[in-house]
Short mmCIF file of all heavy atoms in Angstrom, two decimals:
data_model
loop_
_atom_site.label_atom_id
_atom_site.label_comp_id
_atom_site.label_asym_id
_atom_site.label_seq_id
_atom_site.Cartn_x
_atom_site.Cartn_y
_atom_site.Cartn_z
N LEU A 1 164.84 137.56 211.40
CA LEU A 1 164.98 138.96 210.84
C LEU A 1 166.17 139.08 209.87
O LEU A 1 166.02 139.81 208.89
CB LEU A 1 165.36 139.89 212.11
CG LEU A 1 164.18 140.15 213.19
CD1 LEU A 1 164.65 141.18 214.24
CD2 LEU A 1 163.00 140.56 212.55
N VAL A 2 167.25 138.38 210.23
CA VAL A 2 168.45 138.48 209.30
C VAL A 2 168.10 137.92 207.97
O VAL A 2 168.47 138.57 206.91
CB VAL A 2 169.59 137.67 209.88
CG1 VAL A 2 170.76 137.59 208.81
CG2 VAL A 2 170.12 138.46 211.16
N LEU A 3 167.44 136.77 207.90
CA LEU A 3 167.10 136.15 206.58
C LEU A 3 166.12 137.03 205.76
O LEU A 3 166.22 137.20 204.56
CB LEU A 3 166.53 134.74 206.76
CG LEU A 3 167.50 133.66 207.28
CD1 LEU A 3 166.76 132.39 207.53
CD2 LEU A 3 168.63 133.47 206.17
N ILE A 4 165.12 137.58 206.51
CA ILE A 4 164.06 138.38 205.81
C ILE A 4 164.77 139.70 205.25
O ILE A 4 164.49 140.03 204.07
CB ILE A 4 162.98 138.72 206.72
CG1 ILE A 4 162.07 137.34 206.91
CG2 ILE A 4 162.00 139.81 206.11
CD1 ILE A 4 160.93 137.65 208.00
N ILE A 5 165.49 140.36 206.10
CA ILE A 5 166.24 141.49 205.63
C ILE A 5 167.16 141.29 204.52
O ILE A 5 167.27 141.99 203.54
CB ILE A 5 166.86 142.22 206.88
CG1 ILE A 5 165.87 142.77 207.85
CG2 ILE A 5 167.77 143.38 206.38
CD1 ILE A 5 166.41 143.35 209.11
N ALA A 6 167.95 140.09 204.63
CA ALA A 6 168.84 139.77 203.62
C ALA A 6 168.15 139.52 202.25
O ALA A 6 168.59 139.92 201.17
CB ALA A 6 169.66 138.61 203.99
N SER A 7 167.01 138.85 202.35
CA SER A 7 166.17 138.60 201.15
C SER A 7 165.79 139.96 200.46
O SER A 7 165.84 140.05 199.23
CB SER A 7 165.03 137.74 201.47
OG SER A 7 164.16 137.58 200.40
N LEU A 8 165.14 140.77 201.23
CA LEU A 8 164.53 142.03 200.75
C LEU A 8 165.62 142.99 200.38
O LEU A 8 165.39 143.71 199.36
CB LEU A 8 163.47 142.52 201.74
CG LEU A 8 162.29 141.62 202.14
CD1 LEU A 8 161.44 142.42 203.19
CD2 LEU A 8 161.44 141.43 200.90
N THR A 9 166.64 143.22 201.18
CA THR A 9 167.56 144.25 200.92
C THR A 9 168.78 143.70 200.02
O THR A 9 169.06 144.38 199.14
CB THR A 9 168.15 144.70 202.25
OG1 THR A 9 167.12 145.26 203.00
CG2 THR A 9 169.21 145.83 202.01
N GLY A 10 169.13 142.49 200.28
CA GLY A 10 170.34 141.89 199.47
C GLY A 10 169.94 141.51 198.06
O GLY A 10 170.75 141.66 197.24
N ILE A 11 168.80 140.87 197.95
CA ILE A 11 168.26 140.39 196.70
C ILE A 11 167.26 141.23 196.01
O ILE A 11 167.30 141.74 194.85
CB ILE A 11 167.80 138.85 196.67
CG1 ILE A 11 169.01 138.04 197.31
CG2 ILE A 11 167.53 138.47 195.39
CD1 ILE A 11 168.56 136.54 197.58
N GLY A 12 166.22 141.52 196.89
CA GLY A 12 165.25 142.52 196.36
C GLY A 12 163.88 141.77 196.42
O GLY A 12 163.64 140.50 196.60
N GLN A 13 162.88 142.44 196.06
CA GLN A 13 161.35 142.02 195.95
C GLN A 13 160.86 142.26 194.56
O GLN A 13 161.21 143.31 193.97
CB GLN A 13 160.61 142.70 197.05
CG GLN A 13 159.22 142.27 197.23
CD GLN A 13 158.45 143.05 198.26
OE1 GLN A 13 158.58 144.22 198.46
NE2 GLN A 13 157.83 142.33 199.18
N MET A 14 160.14 141.31 194.16
CA MET A 14 159.55 141.40 192.81
C MET A 14 158.51 142.58 192.85
O MET A 14 157.59 142.44 193.65
CB MET A 14 158.88 140.15 192.38
CG MET A 14 158.55 140.10 191.00
SD MET A 14 159.94 140.24 189.83
CE MET A 14 160.59 138.60 189.80
N GLN A 15 158.79 143.65 192.07
CA GLN A 15 157.91 144.75 191.98
C GLN A 15 157.73 145.26 190.63
O GLN A 15 158.46 144.90 189.69
CB GLN A 15 158.59 145.90 192.83
CG GLN A 15 158.83 145.61 194.37
CD GLN A 15 159.44 146.79 195.07
OE1 GLN A 15 159.66 147.88 194.43
NE2 GLN A 15 159.78 146.59 196.23
N ASN A 16 156.75 146.02 190.44
CA ASN A 16 156.42 146.57 189.02
C ASN A 16 157.46 147.67 188.81
O ASN A 16 157.77 148.56 189.77
CB ASN A 16 155.03 147.10 189.02
CG ASN A 16 153.99 146.10 188.90
OD1 ASN A 16 154.21 144.95 188.29
ND2 ASN A 16 152.87 146.31 189.48
N SER A 17 158.09 147.62 187.59
CA SER A 17 158.97 148.77 187.26
C SER A 17 158.22 149.88 186.64
O SER A 17 156.95 149.85 186.72
CB SER A 17 159.97 148.18 186.18
OG SER A 17 159.37 147.91 184.95
N MET A 18 158.85 150.89 186.11
CA MET A 18 158.12 151.94 185.41
C MET A 18 158.12 151.77 183.94
O MET A 18 157.63 152.61 183.20
CB MET A 18 158.80 153.23 185.80
CG MET A 18 158.79 153.58 187.36
SD MET A 18 157.05 153.58 188.01
CE MET A 18 156.59 155.20 187.22
N THR A 19 158.48 150.47 183.41
CA THR A 19 158.50 150.27 182.00
C THR A 19 157.14 149.48 181.66
O THR A 19 156.91 148.48 182.29
CB THR A 19 159.73 149.43 181.76
OG1 THR A 19 160.89 150.14 182.11
CG2 THR A 19 159.75 149.13 180.19
N ILE A 20 156.50 149.86 180.59
CA ILE A 20 155.32 149.17 180.17
C ILE A 20 155.70 147.91 179.33
O ILE A 20 156.50 147.97 178.43
CB ILE A 20 154.55 150.10 179.18
CG1 ILE A 20 154.31 151.54 179.81
CG2 ILE A 20 153.27 149.46 178.78
CD1 ILE A 20 153.53 151.47 181.17
N ASN A 21 155.17 146.92 179.87
CA ASN A 21 155.40 145.58 179.22
C ASN A 21 154.28 145.23 178.10
O ASN A 21 154.56 144.65 177.07
CB ASN A 21 155.32 144.38 180.23
CG ASN A 21 155.71 143.02 179.67
OD1 ASN A 21 156.64 142.94 178.98
ND2 ASN A 21 154.90 142.09 180.11
N GLN A 22 152.99 145.65 178.40
CA GLN A 22 151.95 145.42 177.48
C GLN A 22 150.95 146.52 177.60
O GLN A 22 150.64 147.03 178.71
CB GLN A 22 151.33 144.02 177.71
CG GLN A 22 150.16 143.72 176.80
CD GLN A 22 149.61 142.31 177.06
OE1 GLN A 22 150.12 141.55 177.93
NE2 GLN A 22 148.54 141.92 176.27
N VAL A 23 150.33 146.95 176.55
CA VAL A 23 149.23 147.97 176.44
C VAL A 23 148.09 147.23 176.03
O VAL A 23 147.85 146.72 174.94
CB VAL A 23 149.57 149.09 175.44
CG1 VAL A 23 148.43 150.03 175.40
CG2 VAL A 23 150.79 149.84 175.86
N TYR A 24 147.06 147.19 176.95
CA TYR A 24 145.80 146.45 176.63
C TYR A 24 144.90 147.59 175.81
O TYR A 24 144.82 148.61 176.02
CB TYR A 24 145.06 146.19 177.94
CG TYR A 24 145.79 145.10 178.81
CD1 TYR A 24 146.28 145.49 180.06
CD2 TYR A 24 145.93 143.85 178.28
CE1 TYR A 24 146.88 144.56 180.84
CE2 TYR A 24 146.70 142.93 179.13
CZ TYR A 24 147.16 143.27 180.36
OH TYR A 24 147.75 142.30 181.08
N GLN A 25 144.23 146.87 174.83
CA GLN A 25 143.45 147.69 173.95
C GLN A 25 142.01 148.08 174.46
O GLN A 25 141.40 148.96 174.02
CB GLN A 25 143.17 146.98 172.56
CG GLN A 25 144.46 146.70 171.92
CD GLN A 25 145.17 148.10 171.51
OE1 GLN A 25 144.57 148.93 170.93
NE2 GLN A 25 146.45 148.20 171.87
N CYS A 26 141.56 147.38 175.60
CA CYS A 26 140.43 147.78 176.36
C CYS A 26 140.58 147.53 177.88
O CYS A 26 141.59 146.86 178.17
CB CYS A 26 139.24 146.92 175.82
SG CYS A 26 139.47 145.17 176.05
N ILE A 27 139.68 148.05 178.54
CA ILE A 27 139.73 147.98 180.01
C ILE A 27 139.46 146.55 180.56
O ILE A 27 140.24 146.05 181.38
CB ILE A 27 138.75 148.93 180.60
CG1 ILE A 27 139.20 150.30 180.51
CG2 ILE A 27 138.67 148.60 182.17
CD1 ILE A 27 140.52 150.85 181.16
N ASP A 28 138.66 145.86 179.80
CA ASP A 28 138.12 144.56 180.33
C ASP A 28 138.88 143.47 179.53
O ASP A 28 138.35 142.39 179.19
CB ASP A 28 136.58 144.44 180.14
CG ASP A 28 135.82 145.38 181.00
OD1 ASP A 28 136.25 145.62 182.12
OD2 ASP A 28 134.91 145.92 180.50
N ALA A 29 140.18 143.66 179.26
CA ALA A 29 140.86 142.67 178.34
C ALA A 29 141.01 141.38 179.21
O ALA A 29 141.29 141.43 180.40
CB ALA A 29 142.31 143.22 177.94
N SER A 30 141.06 140.21 178.49
CA SER A 30 141.31 139.00 179.23
C SER A 30 142.88 138.85 179.44
O SER A 30 143.60 139.71 179.05
CB SER A 30 140.86 137.83 178.34
OG SER A 30 141.41 137.84 177.07
N ALA A 31 143.24 137.62 180.00
CA ALA A 31 144.56 137.53 180.46
C ALA A 31 145.47 137.55 179.05
O ALA A 31 146.71 137.93 179.22
CB ALA A 31 144.69 136.16 181.18
N ASP A 32 145.01 136.96 178.04
CA ASP A 32 145.77 137.04 176.82
C ASP A 32 145.76 138.36 176.03
O ASP A 32 146.44 138.45 174.99
CB ASP A 32 145.46 135.88 175.88
CG ASP A 32 143.93 136.02 175.47
OD1 ASP A 32 143.24 137.01 175.84
OD2 ASP A 32 143.44 135.06 174.70
N GLY A 33 145.09 139.41 176.57
CA GLY A 33 145.00 140.65 176.04
C GLY A 33 143.88 140.85 174.95
O GLY A 33 143.69 142.08 174.42
N SER A 34 142.98 139.87 174.78
CA SER A 34 141.83 139.99 173.72
C SER A 34 140.85 140.77 174.49
O SER A 34 140.69 140.79 175.66
CB SER A 34 141.42 138.65 173.42
OG SER A 34 141.00 137.85 174.46
N CYS A 35 139.91 141.45 173.60
CA CYS A 35 138.94 142.32 174.17
C CYS A 35 137.52 141.81 173.73
O CYS A 35 137.42 141.23 172.59
CB CYS A 35 139.04 143.74 173.53
SG CYS A 35 140.54 144.61 174.07
N PRO A 36 136.63 141.76 174.60
CA PRO A 36 135.21 141.38 174.29
C PRO A 36 134.66 142.42 173.35
O PRO A 36 135.10 143.53 173.29
CB PRO A 36 134.51 141.37 175.66
CG PRO A 36 135.29 142.24 176.56
CD PRO A 36 136.66 142.19 175.94
N ALA A 37 133.71 142.03 172.66
CA ALA A 37 132.97 142.79 171.57
C ALA A 37 132.28 143.92 172.33
O ALA A 37 131.71 143.94 173.33
CB ALA A 37 131.90 142.11 170.82
N GLY A 38 132.64 145.21 171.75
CA GLY A 38 131.96 146.39 172.35
C GLY A 38 132.67 147.04 173.55
O GLY A 38 132.30 148.00 174.00
N ALA A 39 133.88 146.33 173.98
CA ALA A 39 134.57 146.90 175.06
C ALA A 39 135.23 148.25 174.78
O ALA A 39 135.72 148.45 173.70
CB ALA A 39 135.64 145.88 175.58
N PRO A 40 135.12 149.24 175.62
CA PRO A 40 135.62 150.56 175.35
C PRO A 40 137.18 150.52 175.30
O PRO A 40 137.81 149.67 176.04
CB PRO A 40 135.19 151.41 176.65
CG PRO A 40 134.87 150.28 177.68
CD PRO A 40 134.47 149.21 176.90
N ILE A 41 137.80 151.36 174.47
CA ILE A 41 139.24 151.35 174.33
C ILE A 41 139.84 151.86 175.64
O ILE A 41 139.37 152.79 176.33
CB ILE A 41 139.61 152.32 173.12
CG1 ILE A 41 138.91 151.76 171.90
CG2 ILE A 41 141.16 152.36 172.91
CD1 ILE A 41 139.20 152.64 170.64
N SER A 42 140.97 151.34 175.92
CA SER A 42 141.72 151.67 177.28
C SER A 42 142.28 152.99 177.10
O SER A 42 142.66 153.51 176.02
CB SER A 42 142.77 150.67 177.54
OG SER A 42 143.88 150.70 176.78
N PRO A 43 142.34 153.80 178.23
CA PRO A 43 143.05 155.03 178.24
C PRO A 43 144.49 155.03 177.67
O PRO A 43 144.81 156.00 176.93
CB PRO A 43 143.02 155.52 179.70
CG PRO A 43 141.83 154.77 180.35
CD PRO A 43 141.75 153.49 179.56
N ALA A 44 145.23 153.95 177.98
CA ALA A 44 146.61 153.86 177.47
C ALA A 44 146.66 153.71 175.96
O ALA A 44 147.54 154.39 175.29
CB ALA A 44 147.31 152.61 178.15
N ALA A 45 145.79 152.97 175.51
CA ALA A 45 145.71 152.78 173.99
C ALA A 45 145.27 154.22 173.26
O ALA A 45 145.85 154.52 172.34
CB ALA A 45 144.69 151.67 173.61
N LEU A 46 144.32 154.80 173.87
CA LEU A 46 143.94 156.09 173.38
C LEU A 46 145.03 157.14 173.42
O LEU A 46 145.18 157.98 172.47
CB LEU A 46 142.68 156.58 174.06
CG LEU A 46 141.30 156.04 173.81
CD1 LEU A 46 140.28 156.46 174.80
CD2 LEU A 46 140.89 156.18 172.45
#
């Protein structure tokens, strides 16, 4: 219990922040951000 609480409270847990790191140009973007032909534009890009 002590080690788990120390890890989560004292150091923290990797979580998503509220800062945008990358905007994908389409919904079905690959891991590198590229879009297949004809893929609809993502809401964030629009």
